[in-house]
Amino acid sequence: MSEIELVSGPDAPGGELMAGVASVLGAPAAERRRSLRQLPQGLALRLYTAMARLRAFDERAVILQRQGTIGTYPPYYGEEAVQAASVLALDDRDWLFPTYRQNAVATLRGCPPESPLLLWRGNPAGWYDVHRYRTAPICVPVATNYPHAVGAAWGSRLRGESTVALAFGGDGSTSPGDFHEACNLAAVVVAPVIFLVTNNQWAISTPVQQQTKVTRLADKATAYGIPGVRVDSFDVFACYEAVAAAAARGRAGLGPTLIEAVGYRLGPHGTADEPSLYRDPERARLWAGMEPLGRAGAAMVDAGLTTLEALEEIRESAVAEMLLAGDQLEAVPVPELEEIADRVHLSTPWTLSPDHLREPSYPRAG
Amino acid sequence: MPTNPKTNRTGSRPTSRRAVARQLPHGLTAQQCREMYHKMVQIRHFEDHAAEAYAQAKVGGFLHLYIGEEAVAVGAIAAAREDDHILGHYRDHGYALARGCDVQACMAELFGRETGICHGRGGSMHLADAKRHFWGGHAIVGSHIPIGAGMAYAMQYLEEPLVVLDFFGDGATGNGIFHEGLNMAALWNLPVVFICENNLYGMGATLAEESPVSDMMIKAEGYTMPAVQCDGMDVLSVYGAVQQAAEHCRSGKGPFFVEALTYRFRGHSMADPELYRDKEEVRRWRELDPIPRFGDFLVQHRISSQQELAQVNEEAEAEMLEAVRFADASPWPDPSTAARGVYANPIDPEAAQEALTLAADPAPAAS
């Protein structure tokens, strides 16, 4: 495991911001090894595999964007632990409500990686089956997915089902009113929902200190009378425990939980972003040692759960899978104009009907 | 003398005028206390006459009465400077009268007359008086919370020593715009006092149905905002809380949250049959009626005599009867001026006329 340089400053690794967050990998070596060895059989490797696949997808997507195969893309390098832990800690019947930065989580539930890639290519073939993977379409407008998740969770409770819903978000998403209305309603109706807020300290170019006065986002939970927990966002095992505990609370009828996964956005906001214009690259380098895949792998080898070779094999196989998926994209036919409104409305209005769109008078590009 | 269990204030009878002054809380003078009593009585009588006029179909639209909550507006506004800014929700008659707006103009506004405080264009829910820095009742729940934050930002930017009092109800705190307003106010250290009138109901929704926490002041913790709870049925308690809050804001320490525990004796609006609460609950709260309660305090402290209080009530009644007569006799606004006050830059009258003509006689559809 690489040495993490501890520097002064509240928002650095080992600083005030991370003080007291739940962490498995941050524990002293003996305790860390004991914790990893006590995990259920095969869980560590499953978490590692999920993270490796997410990583390979993300790296492939960035390459495809640079090649012009897909359009703009929001990389999630460094957030793999939060995403992999959430999917694995939940039951496959539980609902996920991702944002653009969790655009590939459905692939951890069997969705072919081509689907999200085609989405970024602007091809309707990229719409995966929402019900099959219990994963809602990604939401790009910030915080809009929180009330969706509350609705799903409340519905599940009213129907007497035991499923929970999890909504992802970032530090910036805690400022819009949607976040407040979602937390408020979820707490009132005791909805089994998990608000998983990854505090990566940056909302595009706005630092979290310019976003809200609260330094620990989990403290916002107090206003709703719900638990707010803080966890190391680069620690897949700690994230797993936090989500599993929140899901158990929800299933027991105890209502919502706010999880703040604390860390740093290691990469740019999107493929059209240049973070060095607004933040010190040195700071990102300080956090680079926390990168979750390598960190988990090193700890697993250290605990004797696996070997470096086995992990390399997992990563190689993930890279091959995503390479193949990327190669499929150009062969998928370009959509017809008539498909533009598919899956937008429950019943398509006549202005967007195929007949109307085929009218010679309909304005066309070029 | 009895001890009031709620305020823990004993009624021991002082011996001299100077002793009276020493006993008054929050640095209040006897004259200020008499004025606060007068304002509360004015509001109560104004509302009684508004209700009567509404039943006689003299008032259009909705009518939301402030009866029972008088101590909140009066105590809060008395604790602020005369030129501090005020914003409130649609249950807004109390703020206007507590700020000293013209009683006849307020009544005429309810009646929709040209002599109204907004020339009959606002009605009951939109009383406003710019020269008194009362920026209105706002009908959309919570909508004025970020407006108040914005006004406070202007005061901070212009380096004016004024603070904003922004009144809203418990129901408004469930709104996203509440969150956005408080978040920005806390972040930018804005001089705004958020005053939550917790009257236990958001229309017909009980507190438990609308909010996960029963104390609204807990919600301020999500913004690291200092907060205090006061007895909204006790004008002195409200005065003390808002005095503390306004001082905090004026000294540049950022926003402050005040929760006033209060109760509306009447329905949400005139159209509310109140099926969601029982009469026994209303009766219990009526025992805490802020007007007789404060009247007792004034008498016990020899600030006013029973006869003086009775006279205040008689004068307020006469004043409101006169206000109703004034409103009844006032002219209706000229319909051709309907667009006045809508746009900062009024629209071109010719273009408006053209649009009206088109609306009256639409062109036949092209064949």
Side-chain angles (χ1 to χ4, degrees):
Chain A
M1 233 192 310
S2 62
E3 281 279 305
I4 295 165
E5 196 186 345
L6 297 182
V7 295
S8 57
D11 59 342
E16 232 172 85
L17 187 80
M18 297 289 279
V21 299
S23 178
V24 172
L25 296 178
E31 197 184 317
R32 185 184 67 222
R33 287 184 200 119
R34 196 165 50 243
S35 302
L36 292 187
R37 286 172 192 149
Q38 281 170 356
L39 289 174
Q41 182 74 26
L43 177 61
L45 274 177
R46 286 200 297 128
L47 285 167
Y48 187 89
T49 306
M51 281 201 291
R53 288 184 66 229
L54 286 172
R55 170 70 56 82
F57 177 98
D58 192 52
E59 289 179 343
R60 180 51 42 189
V62 172
I63 292 169
L64 291 167
Q65 192 277 334
R66 298 296 187 231
Q67 291 172 342
T69 308
I70 65 172
T72 190
Y73 175 79
Y76 51 74
Y77 177 77
E79 208 192 275
E80 297 90 345
V82 173
Q83 299 182 22
S86 298
V87 178
L88 269 68
L90 294 177
D91 192 271
D92 276 351
R93 301 278 306 154
D94 295 330
W95 276 95
L96 299 173
F97 288 82
T99 76
Y100 48 85
R101 209 173 294 288
Q102 299 81 30
N103 66 86
V105 280
T107 63
L108 300 183
R109 285 183 164 178
C111 174
E114 294 89 312
S115 279
L117 288 173
L118 282 165
L119 186 84
W120 296 113
R121 194 172 153 76
N123 193 312
W127 286 113
Y128 51 77
D129 185 335
V130 164
H131 288 276
R132 181 166 171 195
Y133 306 116
R134 291 270 181 165
T135 305
I138 64 166
C139 280
V140 175
V142 172
T144 51
N145 57 323
Y146 291 130
H148 300 170
V150 175
W154 190 10
S156 133
R157 186 174 135 84
L158 291 177
R159 285 199 291 244
E161 295 166 0
S162 63
T163 52
V164 306
L166 180 145
F168 293 97
D171 39 297
S173 76
T174 62
S175 292
D178 294 44
F179 170 80
H180 175 70
E181 295 182 1
C183 290
N184 191 65
L185 183 64
V188 168
V189 302
V190 201
V193 62
I194 302 164
F195 302 111
L196 208 182
V197 176
T198 299
N199 179 1
N200 66 20
Q201 304 189 42
W202 290 93
I204 309 188
S205 57
T206 304
V208 69
Q209 299 90 334
Q210 288 178 25
Q211 185 78 236
T212 182
K213 201 166 183 186
V214 177
T215 49
R216 293 177 303 248
L217 299 181
D219 288 352
K220 290 180 187 264
T222 314
Y224 312 102
I226 64 174
V229 299
R230 304 182 82 231
V231 63
D232 178 347
S233 78
F234 296 123
D235 182 339
V236 72
F237 305 106
C239 289
Y240 182 91
E241 281 179 9
V243 175
R249 269 194 93 244
R251 273 188 248 284
L254 297 173
T257 303
L258 173 64
I259 300 176
E260 178 192 4
V262 193
Y264 195 82
R265 199 187 71 215
L266 299 180
H269 168 75
T271 45
D273 179 36
E274 179 43 66
S276 70
L277 293 176
Y278 55 82
R279 68 182 197 187
D280 181 6
E282 196 50 43
R283 208 119 268 246
R285 269 193 285 280
L286 291 173
W287 284 91
M290 301 284 276
E291 173 279 308
L293 184 66
R295 198 177 170 214
M300 286 160 65
V301 172
D302 174 67
L305 297 185
T306 182
T307 62
L308 282 173
E309 293 72 30
L311 296 182
E312 194 178 345
E313 212 170 292
I314 290 171
R315 291 199 306 276
E316 276 173 8
S317 141
V319 169
E321 179 194 2
M322 299 310 162
L323 186 65
L324 193 66
D327 287 346
Q328 316 286 316
L329 304 184
E330 302 211 12
V332 178
V334 173
E336 295 295 322
L337 177 65
E338 289 77 11
E339 294 173 56
I340 195 167
D342 276 5
R343 308 188 194 209
V344 174
H345 304 92
L346 190 59
S347 54
T348 305
W350 67 270
T351 47
L352 291 170
S353 70
D355 281 348
H356 181 71
L357 292 174
R358 260 187 238 110
E359 289 260 324
S361 62
Y362 192 83
R364 264 157 232 280
Chain B
M1 297 295 274
T3 302
N4 187 326
K6 191 91 181 177
T7 58
N8 203 22
R9 213 175 276 126
T10 57
S12 60
R13 195 176 285 269
T15 49
S16 71
R17 285 266 171 197
R18 203 169 297 143
V20 168
R22 271 205 303 276
Q23 286 219 345
L24 289 176
H26 317 305
L28 277 162
T29 64
Q31 182 56 26
Q32 283 174 310
C33 289
R34 281 191 286 266
E35 272 167 27
M36 291 200 292
Y37 182 80
H38 175 230
K39 291 266 167 62
M40 288 201 289
V41 170
Q42 267 188 315
I43 296 170
R44 178 67 56 89
H45 285 266
F46 183 93
E47 296 295 58
D48 282 340
H49 282 280
E52 195 181 318
Y54 193 84
Q56 294 166 348
K58 289 179 180 175
V59 177
F62 294 104
L63 183 69
H64 308 84
L65 301 175
Y66 202 60
I67 295 175
E69 304 188 16
E70 293 92 340
V72 182
V74 170
I77 291 169
R81 266 174 61 156
E82 263 183 19
D83 48 355
D84 280 340
H85 298 283
I86 302 171
L87 292 106
H89 47 76
Y90 47 80
R91 197 181 302 286
D92 63 347
H93 309 167
Y95 314 127
L97 299 187
R99 187 26 86 78
C101 294
D102 186 79
V103 170
Q104 298 194 344
C106 288
M107 190 64 82
E109 187 60 35
L110 267 54
F111 282 52
R113 305 305 173 104
E114 182 61 39
T115 53
I117 199 160
C118 295
H119 304 285
R121 286 158 173 76
S124 160
M125 299 198 283
H126 306 100
L127 302 181
D129 191 350
K131 65 177 182 298
R132 286 188 175 81
H133 286 189
F134 170 46
W135 302 103
H138 293 255
I140 307 297
V141 174
S143 63
H144 52 94
I145 295 174
I147 297 173
M151 295 188 81
Y153 183 41
M155 293 305 102
Q156 185 190 66
Y157 184 84
L158 299 170
E159 296 180 359
E160 295 219 26
L162 301 183
V163 307
V164 178
L165 306 187
D166 207 339
F167 295 87
F168 50 87
D170 45 294
T173 66
N175 232 296
I177 208 154
F178 163 85
H179 176 67
E180 297 180 3
L182 269 72
N183 188 50
M184 293 309 279
L187 187 63
W188 292 352
N189 255 12
L190 303 178
V192 51
V193 184
F194 294 108
I195 305 173
C196 180
E197 297 176 336
N198 182 355
N199 69 13
L200 304 179
Y201 294 94
M203 290 184 81
T206 63
L207 206 53
E209 287 168 330
E210 60 168 87
S211 171
V213 291
S214 52
D215 294 324
M216 296 299 114
M217 65 179 287
I218 291 174
K219 300 194 180 196
E221 286 185 34
Y223 316 95
T224 65
M225 196 184 294
V228 70
Q229 207 171 41
C230 64
D231 179 357
M233 309 304 275
D234 174 1
V235 71
L236 294 174
S237 174
V238 177
Y239 185 95
V242 175
Q243 185 183 52
Q244 176 197 358
E247 261 169 35
H248 173 95
C249 292
R250 224 183 295 283
S251 62
K253 292 180 189 155
F256 204 101
F257 191 97
V258 174
E259 178 184 8
L261 301 171
T262 185
Y263 197 78
R264 54 170 162 74
F265 294 167
R266 303 287 291 262
H268 165 77
S269 70
M270 295 298 285
D272 178 5
E274 298 178 63
L275 300 174
Y276 50 83
R277 62 184 191 184
D278 69 68
K279 292 199 164 53
E280 174 56 20
E281 179 187 292
V282 182
R283 194 195 59 75
R284 281 203 312 275
W285 277 92
R286 275 185 182 275
E287 286 176 3
L288 295 172
D289 190 327
I291 296 178
R293 217 172 144 197
F294 191 50
D296 288 349
F297 176 88
L298 296 182
V299 171
Q300 281 165 21
H301 286 73
R302 291 191 172 176
I303 295 168
S304 301
S305 66
Q306 287 290 8
Q307 291 94 315
E308 281 165 342
L309 298 186
Q311 198 185 338
V312 169
N313 276 274
E314 278 164 31
E315 281 171 9
E317 179 62 15
E319 186 182 16
M320 299 312 154
L321 279 170
E322 186 49 39
V324 169
R325 268 195 295 275
F326 170 80
D328 261 333
S330 291
W332 295 98
D334 177 357
S336 72
T337 64
R340 213 173 73 195
V342 175
Y343 299 100
N345 303 309
I347 49 170
D348 173 21
E350 274 182 35
Q353 192 52 49
E354 199 178 325
L356 284 172
T357 317
L358 274 175
D361 182 21
S367 53

